[in-house]
Amino acid sequence: MEPKLAFPQDSPPLAILCAAKVAGVSLTLDPKLASGSAPTLHLGSGDFIHGVNTILRYIARVASVTSFYGQDAIQAAYVDQWLDYAPVILSGSEFEAACSFLDGYLASRTFLVSYGLSIADIVVWSNLAGTGQRWESLRRSKKYQNLVRWFNSIADYSDTLDEVVSAYVGKRGIGKSPAPSLKEKLPDSKQNISIPEVDLPGAKVGEVCVRFAPEPSGYLHIGHAKAGLLNKYFAERYKGRLIVRFDDTNPSKESNEFVENVLKDVETLGIKYDIVTYTSDYFPQLMEMAENLIKQGKAYVDDTPKEQMRSERMDGVESKCRNNTVQDNLSLWKEMINGTERGMQCCVRGKLDMQDPNKSLRDPVYYRCNTDPHHRIGSKYKVYPTYDFACPFVDALEGVTHALRSSEYHDRNAQYYRILQEMGLRRVEIYEFSRLNMVYTVLSKRKLLWFVQNKKVEDWTDPRFPTVQGIVRRGLKVEALVQFILEQGASKNLNLMEWDKLWTINKKIIDPVCGRHTAVLKDQRVLFTLTNGPEEPFIRVLPRHKKYEGAGKKATTFTNKIWLESADASVISIGEEVTLMDWGNAIIKEIKTQNGIITELLGELHLEGSVKMTKLKLTWLPDIEDLVSLSLVEFDYLIKKKKLEEDDNFLDNLNPCTCQEFPALGDANMRNLKQGEIIQLERKGYYRCDAPFIRSSKPIVLFAIPDGRQKSATK
């Protein structure tokens, strides 16, 4: 028996209603209490709970949401504080002051308590939403950007939050307009892309220049997509310039293939840039700068072995070469430029501060030798700048005003500014955002390259890969990826994101428009003979999508012998009436078996029967030669551990089975599917056509698209 929530109709407890929806707690609503009465929750056991906060704490404890009441006693105490304060600070004349306080509090936070959604977020959110137009006016004014970002992100956690607000909150606030009858259907909420407004420090409209600077050593992955889209967002917001720059300073890892595919990915993501540049365009100026720093005594050439140098930097021990004369340094620099045996033993280091607590400032390497040919300029150079040296130089030279960097580089920000200072160049503002980390996923290009080189995947476009081309090939719409990334904004909080959220967004985009088709597993099907079925097959033209005409039409053949899934046949009883989808009802008269396995069903059509009265609604295919062969492919994560720690070896956590193929038969209309087209197989799930129909002997290949909740559509 569901708990029953009793409350006055003129003051519905919005916080409880919202919390119950998010927590997965089903309630029967009884809005018949006298005005002014506190809500009461009547439990199936006969017990009852009285009062808003008491009910909220009960919901938090029984919620299906992890850590909804905090992860420990201290966090639970913080949650309790918000439950007590929210209705007080967000009412009356102090409303705007409370908003200002919350805006400051949320400046560096994603959630109110710790790093996850708690009932505190829902309570504060519902108290804001409950003020109606008062909050909406402030929300549109862009006055409290951190608070608006947080409010939008909480709303996206559950589609039902907006539904609850629509039902119980009028323009003047909660209870100011009548709540609908409990039998009325709440209005559908619209899925909008929420882009939090974030300011760049010191930015001026028309004067901002940002850059997206990938290294051409692999294809773009979902983490790069976040960086690219944030740069695009700021360039557009400030009516500024966006440079796509290839950081091509390591010829051993880079290739023209990667350059071409990065540009392809940039186009796929809809990133409009002003110019494409290459760090290699500035090699002469970079070499000149390095030589000038050597002449000024701000850099030196070091031949310390690599491991010894690393150890000395960690311990703050100066290199024996640190006090070489300028002449000795210039002589060794020429050896490096010429790629001699002596030069190959050396590197150029900046003379910064070997005692600085920030180890990135302990004489970082500026230049090193590499005799591998460069993908653009061949073997012209034997020395190449490090990223740490080249990036600030080229940023300043190209007029970049704001360099967006993920927070993993935070400790190197001081180095970036110091190197600009040493070079005598203008300051470029760094703006940090959190690196995008996904569960069961490696984003290191070195590790992704291992999968490619060891044939664990097809190539960089493999649908198991987190590359842009990989996830698009899996069936992700670019609009879903853009929405997923922009909803996070430029937060600095490190979060491990679930793929399910991304696929849920994707489902909402594809479901309203993708065509519907039918398939049965080839090795798991049972013939159903309809004794009063049509003597001759006939065809009806039906919509591919009942609610979207743009999906087109399909021709469905009706025969007296049809194929059912074995799983469906196994749960049917003799005498049972079932519904054959897009046809009508049928009654099972006989079930034939052999060795305990169902081999055939016999039955009669009962088209006058009510589809509302049947328990089973079955997909089926006609027994005709025109059916097409399908290969339904399902994928799993490449890594079996949700989060790899720093000391984890990814090779010890490989998923042994990441791909399964299931032979199936599909309706004849699937001959017309195009490569890349997304469809829904009724009662199975969503699929993307990777290989369309060519000939009868070659199956159509369909990749299963996750929908955010379904583990397997074929089992």
Side-chain angles (χ1 to χ4, degrees):
M1 183 176 174
E2 283 186 355
K4 182 174 72 173
L5 179 66
F7 58 90
Q9 185 166 359
D10 63 350
S11 57
L14 193 64
I16 295 174
L17 296 169
C18 289
K21 287 288 188 182
V22 174
V25 177
S26 297
L27 299 176
T28 299
L29 305 184
D30 181 17
K32 296 178 182 177
L33 285 185
S35 182
S37 300
T40 301
L41 185 64
H42 298 272
L43 305 176
S45 61
D47 297 319
F48 66 91
I49 302 171
H50 190 65
V52 173
N53 283 359
T54 309
I55 296 172
L56 286 169
R57 291 185 178 99
Y58 168 80
I59 290 173
R61 289 187 175 98
V62 301
S64 59
V65 180
T66 306
S67 304
F68 207 39
Y69 202 21
Q71 294 179 332
D72 52 36
I74 295 175
Q75 290 183 16
Y78 286 133
V79 170
D80 284 336
Q81 285 184 339
W82 284 109
L83 265 58
D84 292 332
Y85 293 157
V88 176
I89 65 174
L90 292 171
S91 62
S93 59
E94 299 300 315
F95 176 77
E96 193 155 343
C99 289
S100 178
F101 165 77
L102 284 166
D103 187 70
Y105 183 84
L106 290 164
S108 59
R109 292 176 172 89
T110 303
F111 302 99
L112 291 173
V113 177
S114 190
Y115 300 104
L117 180 74
S118 73
I119 198 167
D121 296 289
I122 304 304
V123 170
V124 174
W125 186 94
S126 57
N127 273 272
L128 281 171
T131 63
Q133 196 65 34
R134 189 177 190 185
W135 162 242
E136 288 301 322
S137 297
L138 285 178
R139 189 180 177 188
R140 288 193 297 269
S141 72
K142 303 179 182 179
K143 189 173 182 180
Y144 303 117
Q145 295 173 1
N146 298 315
L147 182 56
V148 169
R149 165 187 51 80
W150 168 86
F151 185 93
N152 292 338
S153 68
I154 300 302
D156 290 335
Y157 262 85
S158 174
D159 296 340
T160 55
L161 285 177
D162 282 339
E163 294 179 355
V164 175
V165 172
S166 299
Y168 292 101
V169 181
K171 288 186 177 181
R172 292 181 292 135
I174 192 166
K176 303 302 182 182
S177 58
S181 161
L182 295 181
K183 295 181 180 179
E184 290 179 23
K185 183 181 178 182
L186 296 175
D188 292 330
S189 60
K190 301 296 182 183
Q191 183 70 27
N192 297 316
I193 296 181
S194 170
I195 306 176
E197 290 277 336
V198 182
D199 290 326
L200 287 175
K204 295 180 181 179
V205 174
E207 298 180 13
V208 166
C209 179
V210 292
R211 48 71 170 161
F212 175 46
E215 181 185 2
S217 57
Y219 289 34
L220 291 190
H221 58 55
I222 191 169
H224 300 125
K226 178 176 181 178
L229 288 168
L230 285 175
N231 275 285
K232 171 181 181 284
Y233 166 70
F234 284 120
E236 290 177 350
R237 182 181 171 196
Y238 286 99
K239 296 180 173 58
R241 297 176 68 243
L242 170 58
I243 298 169
V244 170
R245 181 203 309 147
F246 286 98
D247 176 39
D248 55 345
T249 59
N250 188 349
S252 302
K253 296 181 178 180
E254 298 156 2
S255 72
N256 286 321
E257 175 199 351
F258 294 140
V259 171
E260 292 165 4
N261 279 281
V262 166
L263 289 174
K264 178 180 178 180
D265 294 338
V266 165
E267 182 178 358
T268 297
L269 292 169
I271 297 173
K272 305 297 182 184
Y273 50 83
D274 292 274
I275 190 173
V276 174
T277 65
Y278 299 80
T279 298
S280 55
D281 293 337
Y282 302 94
F283 279 176
Q285 296 97 312
L286 282 160
M287 290 181 67
E288 184 181 353
M289 174 58 74
E291 190 163 317
N292 285 339
L293 293 176
I294 292 172
K295 290 177 179 177
Q296 295 172 40
K298 294 181 177 181
Y300 60 97
V301 178
D302 193 351
D303 63 357
T304 302
K306 189 175 181 180
E307 291 303 319
Q308 182 183 339
M309 185 186 300
R310 181 180 289 115
S311 175
E312 289 178 350
R313 288 191 70 195
M314 291 297 294
D315 297 336
V317 176
E318 292 186 1
S319 166
K320 64 183 185 338
C321 303
R322 197 172 197 268
N323 295 313
N324 284 353
T325 65
V326 170
Q327 198 57 43
D328 287 343
N329 284 324
L330 288 174
S331 176
L332 288 172
W333 170 237
K334 286 185 179 179
E335 296 282 342
M336 288 180 64
I337 291 173
N338 293 326
T340 65
E341 182 178 351
R342 176 71 177 121
M344 295 293 290
Q345 300 170 351
C346 302
C347 67
V348 177
R349 296 176 66 181
K351 190 183 288 188
L352 302 185
D353 186 350
M354 285 298 293
Q355 305 306 314
D356 198 292
N358 184 337
K359 293 181 174 63
S360 74
L361 290 167
R362 294 182 181 179
D363 292 7
V365 174
Y366 285 173
Y367 257 90
R368 72 275 195 248
C369 288
N370 191 331
T371 56
D372 290 343
H374 191 276
H375 65 96
R376 290 186 73 224
I377 50 182
S379 300
K380 181 178 180 180
Y381 296 100
K382 304 294 188 295
V383 290
Y384 291 90
T386 61
Y387 173 85
D388 291 336
F389 183 74
C391 184
F393 178 85
V394 181
D395 280 347
L397 216 63
E398 290 190 331
V400 172
T401 59
H402 296 80
L404 272 65
R405 287 161 54 124
S406 63
S407 51
E408 64 185 303
Y409 289 104
H410 177 76
D411 290 343
R412 301 164 87 97
N413 290 350
Q415 181 201 78
Y416 179 95
Y417 288 130
R418 176 67 183 274
I419 291 175
L420 279 176
Q421 186 179 339
E422 293 288 298
M423 292 175 172
L425 300 174
R426 65 175 182 81
R427 181 180 174 91
V428 178
E429 292 293 338
I430 292 175
Y431 190 87
E432 286 187 342
F433 61 90
S434 64
R435 172 178 171 153
L436 181 59
N437 295 305
M438 306 296 293
V439 295
Y440 302 107
T441 304
V442 293
L443 293 178
S444 159
K445 282 192 280 190
R446 176 182 60 83
K447 294 172 182 175
L448 294 177
L449 181 63
W450 181 89
F451 281 100
V452 175
Q453 291 177 336
N454 288 274
K455 309 298 182 185
K456 299 295 184 182
V457 294
E458 186 180 327
D459 55 26
W460 288 86
T461 73
D462 191 286
R464 291 164 290 186
F465 250 22
T467 55
V468 172
Q469 293 185 45
I471 54 181
V472 167
R473 190 177 171 199
R474 181 83 174 267
L476 187 78
K477 302 296 285 184
V478 174
E479 306 95 284
L481 178 59
V482 172
Q483 180 172 330
F484 174 73
I485 288 173
L486 292 183
E487 281 179 353
Q488 299 170 46
S491 167
K492 297 178 178 63
N493 295 324
L494 290 174
N495 288 316
L496 185 65
M497 302 299 293
E498 297 281 351
W499 283 100
D500 284 351
K501 183 175 182 183
L502 176 57
W503 292 117
T504 298
I505 295 172
N506 192 60
K507 177 187 174 183
K508 292 178 182 179
I509 292 172
I510 64 177
D511 181 74
V513 297
C514 68
R516 270 55 171 169
H517 290 272
T518 304
V520 296
L521 297 179
K522 187 175 289 187
D523 301 329
Q524 300 175 39
R525 56 190 168 124
V526 173
L527 192 65
F528 184 14
T529 300
L530 299 164
T531 56
N532 64 340
E535 294 182 5
E536 295 293 332
F538 67 92
I539 294 174
R540 286 180 185 159
V541 177
L542 302 174
R544 289 180 74 212
H545 191 306
K546 291 182 174 65
K547 297 181 180 179
Y548 178 60
E549 291 184 7
K553 305 287 186 181
K554 62 182 178 181
T556 301
T557 303
F558 295 80
T559 62
N560 57 17
K561 291 182 181 293
I562 62 176
W563 292 108
L564 300 181
E565 291 272 14
S566 297
D568 288 337
S570 66
V571 296
I572 294 174
S573 306
I574 295 176
E576 183 174 3
E577 187 166 353
V578 299
T579 296
L580 303 175
M581 292 174 63
D582 288 331
W583 195 348
N585 288 3
I587 299 173
I588 310 303
K589 295 296 185 180
E590 184 180 349
I591 300 176
K592 294 183 179 182
T593 62
Q594 185 175 348
N595 299 324
I597 298 174
I598 298 174
T599 56
E600 186 180 1
L601 301 177
L602 298 177
E604 295 178 353
L605 286 172
H606 185 232
L607 300 181
E608 62 272 25
S610 172
V611 298
K612 295 181 180 179
M613 303 303 293
T614 57
K615 182 175 70 173
L616 297 177
K617 312 291 193 283
L618 307 179
T619 47
W620 56 275
L621 285 176
D623 181 20
I624 57 176
E625 292 183 358
D626 285 346
L627 299 181
V628 295
S629 294
L630 306 175
S631 177
L632 306 182
V633 187
E634 292 191 351
F635 301 102
D636 201 355
Y637 300 114
L638 293 169
I639 300 295
K640 62 185 179 182
K641 188 174 182 181
K642 191 169 188 177
K643 180 186 179 184
L644 290 178
E645 304 299 339
E646 285 188 16
D647 56 348
D648 284 335
N649 185 342
F650 80 99
L651 295 177
D652 296 332
N653 291 279
L654 299 180
N655 191 345
C657 181
T658 61
C659 178
Q660 289 183 287
E661 296 186 38
F662 301 88
L665 293 175
D667 64 70
N669 301 277
M670 296 170 73
R671 278 184 170 83
N672 301 319
L673 291 180
K674 297 179 177 60
Q675 185 178 31
E677 185 173 352
I678 290 175
I679 62 170
Q680 183 186 47
L681 294 182
E682 300 274 16
R683 298 177 62 231
K684 287 188 180 296
Y686 303 94
Y687 290 80
R688 176 191 173 274
C689 178
D690 192 65
F693 181 83
I694 299 175
R695 57 183 178 273
S696 298
S697 60
K698 195 174 179 67
I700 298 169
V701 179
L702 299 178
F703 288 170
I705 305 172
D707 63 5
R709 61 179 178 83
Q710 202 165 306
K711 179 65 178 175
S712 172
T714 51
K715 296 178 183 176

